[in-house]
Amino acid sequence: SSGSLRLVGGGSRCAGRVEIFQRGTWGRVLAEQWDEQEASVVCRQLRCGEAETAYNPPKAERGTGPVGLRGVRCAGHEASLSLCNTSLAESALAAG
């Protein structure tokens, strides 16, 4: 399945670090370049309106714990983060 998203540590439901729920656990979402395109998709998926800012913390501030998605690249028009060009931390999904 596409998994569920949440934002944590930002003070409201529509702010914070992106996490995805897959295979029974919440994991971080990592992107080399997290910008307005990716943030817009997350905000749309969570029904939070348009993204105001895209925060890309330095590596030391990205937190610890399991990684759910890495290498996220969105065009900005996708309906959900799972439709972006992503690499699952574990290759559990087959193409096609």
Side-chain angles (χ1 to χ4, degrees):
S1 75
S2 62
S4 299
L5 289 184
R6 71 179 180 185
L7 296 173
V8 295
S12 80
R13 186 182 74 80
C14 292
R17 186 179 71 242
V18 182
E19 293 188 348
I20 189 167
F21 189 76
Q22 295 183 128
R23 297 183 292 278
T25 186
W26 285 99
R28 295 177 296 146
V29 174
L30 301 182
E32 289 305 311
Q33 285 299 121
W34 184 266
D35 55 29
E36 294 293 325
Q37 287 98 294
E38 288 79 19
S40 293
V41 173
V42 169
C43 289
R44 188 177 309 118
Q45 185 173 351
L46 294 176
R47 296 187 174 95
C48 289
E50 289 302 309
E52 292 178 11
T53 57
Y55 179 57
N56 200 1
K59 269 197 159 87
E61 294 178 23
R62 290 184 189 167
T64 58
V67 174
L69 287 176
R70 67 175 73 242
V72 178
R73 295 294 310 198
C74 300
H77 58 76
E78 296 89 349
S80 72
L81 201 61
S82 61
L83 298 175
C84 296
N85 180 16
T86 61
S87 306
L88 285 168
E90 301 164 35
S91 54
L93 295 182

